[in-house]
């Protein structure tokens, strides 16, 4: 049965393009209420055109002994050394939030735990880990050190062992959310009495441009709610230094995105919008690549993944 995107409730969408089978897989936070109550797992959807989707199909279901039972967030799937690896965020009573790595021999799963629990520091509150393989072939985890613990949310990089089983060495600080000119302090009742302003970091995603330069998408809050901006690495490596673009790429009530490539090699942005449960949906927008960044295509000029070309 085909389902349009408008009928799929999903946050933190992530698209895996499969050239061999001429299709796409869509992953994301797919529980009806990801904020509380027992979690079911992660689902996936399959499409030939990024418009209509088949599914859902179970991509991950926890075993009875799995350590986390609630708040399953932000699964990303990356192909690496002939296998598929899911990076996802979990939490449990007595355990801080962190990113664990799961794996499968097939892109659609089923995924099983690969790392021994989270690969983020166990005494840190962390989320939204993504895989980056540097130009020497070394794998890194890029993740957020959450505002709930550090006030000014940070993006960090952590070396991984070559088999992606565990972390290696100490985390490297990349930047704080407040460094972005477009980012604003979180303005909600639960944080107004805090001693320091609170800035959010969410959803880092790294992308190597054709020019060889390295950029990162990441999300926070701006003047018009949830938003997503771009940082650029001045060294072309994951350790930076990272410089923030002045304006958000997506500025109004949407974010946690990634850059995908269509089967005919055109770039697109996917993100969820709006940022409210249960109304969040995946959306796709064509991108133009410049020498040192990406921009949303102007209507009628870009090579779009879908007909949606509206700027946030």
């Amino acid at each position: 049965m085909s389902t349009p995107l408008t009928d799929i409730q999903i946050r933190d969408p992530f698209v895996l393009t499969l050239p061999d089978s001429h299709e796409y897989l869509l992953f994301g936070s797919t529980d009806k209420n990801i904020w509380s109550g027992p979690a079911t797992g992660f689902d996936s959807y399959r499409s030939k055109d990024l418009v209509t989707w088949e599914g859902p199909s179970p991509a991950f279901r926890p075993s009875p002994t799995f350590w986390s039972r609630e708040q399953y967030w932000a699964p990303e799937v990356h192909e690496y050394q002939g296998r598929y690896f899911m990076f996802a965020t979990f939490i449990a009573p007595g355990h801080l939030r962190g990113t664990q790595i799961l794996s499968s021999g097939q892109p659609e799963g089923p995924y099983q735990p690969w790392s021994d629990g989270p690969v983020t520091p166990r005494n840190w509150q962390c989320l939204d880990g993504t895989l980056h393989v540097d130009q020497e072939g070394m794998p890194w985890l890029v993740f957020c050190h959450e505002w709930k613990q550090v006030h000014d949310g940070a993006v960090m990089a952590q070396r991984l062992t070559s088999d992606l089983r565990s972390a290696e060495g100490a985390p490297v600080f990349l930047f704080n959310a407040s460094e972005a000119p477009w980012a604003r302090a979180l303005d909600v009742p639960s944080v107004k009495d805090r001693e320091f302003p609170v800035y959010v970091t969410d959803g880092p995603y790294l992308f190597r441009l054709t020019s060889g330069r390295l950029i990162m998408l990441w999300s926070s809050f701006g003047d018009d709610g949830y938003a997503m901006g771009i940082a650029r690495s001045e060294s072309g490596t994951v350790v930076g230094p990272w410089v923030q673009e002045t304006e958000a790429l997506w500025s109004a009530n949407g974010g946690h995105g990634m850059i995908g490539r269509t089967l005919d090699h055109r770039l697109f942005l996917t993100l969820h919008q709006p940022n409210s449960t249960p109304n969040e949906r995946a959306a796709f927008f064509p991108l133009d690549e410049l020498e040192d960044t990406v921009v949303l295509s102007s209507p009628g000029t870009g090579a779009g993944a879908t007909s949606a070309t509206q700027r946030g």
Side-chain angles (χ1 to χ4, degrees), residues 161-218:
T161 55
S162 60
D163 60 4
L164 304 189
R165 291 283 190 182
S166 58
E168 187 172 74
V172 179
F173 170 81
L174 302 186
F175 60 83
N176 286 116
S178 64
E179 295 178 35
W182 56 267
R184 300 291 180 266
L186 192 60
D187 185 18
V188 296
S190 62
V191 303
K192 283 189 175 180
D193 294 332
R194 288 180 177 247
E195 182 179 358
F196 303 103
V198 165
Y199 289 84
V200 171
T201 47
D202 276 351
Y205 178 81
L206 284 77
F207 184 79
R208 181 78 62 183
L209 298 166
T210 303
S211 64
R213 298 184 181 182
L214 185 65
I215 64 172
M216 184 194 305
L217 302 183
W218 66 281

Side-chain angles (χ1 to χ4, degrees), residues 246-257:
T246 302
E247 302 292 334
L249 175 66
W250 188 271
S251 60
N253 202 19
H256 198 124

Side-chain angles (χ1 to χ4, degrees), residues 39-42 60-69 72 111-112:
T40 300
F42 297 120
F60 169 68
R61 294 293 185 267
S63 71
T65 58
F66 188 65
W67 65 278
S68 173
R69 314 306 299 178
Y72 290 8
Y111 285 84
Q112 301 294 333

Side-chain angles (χ1 to χ4, degrees), residues 17 19 41 55 59 64 69 71 111 123 207 217 246 249 258-259 276 285:
T17 302
R69 314 306 299 178
Q71 295 184 9
Y111 285 84
N123 60 338
F207 184 79
L217 302 183
T246 302
L249 175 66
M258 55 86 68
I259 297 172
S276 56
F285 303 92

